[in-house]
Amino acid sequence: MRYSTEHKLQTREKLIASSGALAKRGGFASTGVADLMKAIGLTGGAFYNHFPCKDDLFSEIVRRELSNSPLARLAARGAERQRLARCLEQYLSLAHLHNAEEGCPLPPLAVEIARADQTVRQEAEHWLVVLHAAWSETLDDPELAWALISQCVGAVVVGRMLASETVQSELLQASRSLVAKVLA
């Protein structure tokens, strides 16, 4: 039975969304094609009707996740310092720390992106450069923009490594204080 083009597009969209959530929750490299397809109720063989290889799916996940992240949307609107500070305060919160699936894709996927093929890394670089350009304009300082991006992503990565919420809170508070001082 042949499926309509619309059905194929809907299935592809479900695959990308589901795979993005799975990747942020448990890792992309460790999740097989069969498991990615099972998550949307299909067999592994159907995967190749949508992507020639798993790396192509990962590249699309990276594009979609980074272009739709809250920080990217903030950058696209041309943020002022105060708005950027409010956004980063939310970014550096326990709610964001404990919600990898719905949060920024950089903390859970950065190591996998670094190990991925050139196409995936180029896609990630493109969106980071877009974010950096917007923050550079807001901050009037390209070096500070890179430093803040790294500080915020790094704080979430380290926070997720920690076992106790008390120490996580201390780490996030220290990062929020640093960001507030820098943006004041």
Side-chain angles (χ1 to χ4, degrees):
M1 177 172 132
R2 295 186 76 69
Y3 291 104
S4 69
T5 302
E6 184 176 328
H7 181 268
K8 288 179 186 176
L9 288 173
Q10 289 172 348
T11 301
R12 180 183 166 91
E13 288 302 311
K14 284 195 309 192
L15 174 60
I16 294 166
S18 174
S19 297
L22 286 170
K24 290 195 296 184
R25 181 179 49 226
F28 185 76
S30 63
T31 306
V33 167
D35 290 331
L36 294 171
M37 295 306 287
K38 183 178 177 184
I40 62 169
L42 296 173
T43 64
F47 175 86
Y48 300 99
N49 292 327
H50 304 283
F51 292 96
C53 65
K54 194 175 166 195
D55 281 341
D56 286 350
L57 171 60
F58 193 37
S59 186
E60 180 59 21
I61 289 168
V62 168
R63 185 197 65 75
R64 177 99 33 109
E65 291 287 336
L66 290 178
S67 68
N68 291 321
S69 74
L71 297 181
R73 288 193 303 270
L74 178 71
R77 289 187 226 133
E80 58 199 34
R81 276 182 181 248
Q82 292 136 338
R83 206 155 124 217
L84 181 59
R86 284 192 307 270
C87 181
L88 294 180
E89 189 168 323
Q90 290 175 350
Y91 188 90
L92 295 167
S93 69
L94 282 173
H96 180 238
L97 189 82
H98 294 306
N99 193 4
E101 229 173 278
E102 297 297 320
C104 177
L106 290 173
L109 297 180
V111 170
E112 289 195 73
I113 292 169
R115 292 179 182 145
D117 72 12
Q118 186 72 5
T119 305
V120 174
R121 293 192 340 264
Q122 286 172 336
E123 191 65 44
E125 180 179 309
H126 167 76
W127 291 105
L128 280 171
V129 167
V130 167
L131 178 65
H132 172 260
W135 286 24
S136 293
E137 186 177 323
T138 298
L139 301 168
D140 197 29
D141 187 338
E143 287 181 357
L144 180 58
W146 279 129
L148 275 179
I149 292 167
S150 299
Q151 169 63 37
C152 293
V153 173
V156 175
V157 169
V158 172
R160 288 182 179 157
M161 290 169 44
L162 300 172
S164 83
E165 196 168 281
T166 302
V167 181
Q168 288 174 333
S169 294
E170 289 173 14
L171 169 78
L172 292 173
Q173 181 55 50
S175 293
R176 285 192 303 270
S177 293
L178 177 66
V179 168
K181 286 177 191 171
V182 167
L183 294 178

